[in-house]
Amino acid sequence: MTTELHEGPLEAAPTITKAKPTWREQRRARRRRRVWFEEVLAWILVPLIVFGCYWAFELVMNALGTSTSAMIDGVRTIMHAL
């Protein structure tokens, strides 16, 4: 029995090219990107909305000539009277 020795340069292994993703894989990737985008957007927008509501409430209270602390004191007085 004989063995064959190869003395030249080695041949490169055939490269495996990735096939085009299926429509389900594409949909899953789009969904994953959308979820990440929505998560980042929520971390930015929710604090802005909360701060904006607080600012709008303070603005309305100032326009009415009162303050948040005066409103709280009034509610406490009413609750104490009950």
Side-chain angles (χ1 to χ4, degrees), residues 51-72:
F51 180 73
C53 289
Y54 172 76
W55 180 75
F57 180 75
E58 286 292 323
L59 189 68
V60 168
M61 290 295 111
N62 287 335
L64 293 175
T66 186
S67 67
T68 306
S69 60
M71 293 289 288
I72 292 172

Side-chain angles (χ1 to χ4, degrees), residues 26-43:
Q26 291 174 349
R27 182 179 66 182
R28 190 175 301 125
R30 283 193 309 267
R31 185 177 298 149
R32 190 170 38 248
R33 281 192 305 266
R34 187 184 70 235
V35 167
W36 274 101
F37 176 73
E38 289 173 355
E39 188 73 23
V40 169
L41 197 62
W43 277 99

Side-chain angles (χ1 to χ4, degrees), residues 11-28:
E11 294 179 13
T15 58
I16 300 173
T17 59
K18 187 172 180 180
K20 181 180 176 186
T22 63
W23 66 272
R24 284 187 176 153
E25 292 169 341
Q26 291 174 349
R27 182 179 66 182
R28 190 175 301 125

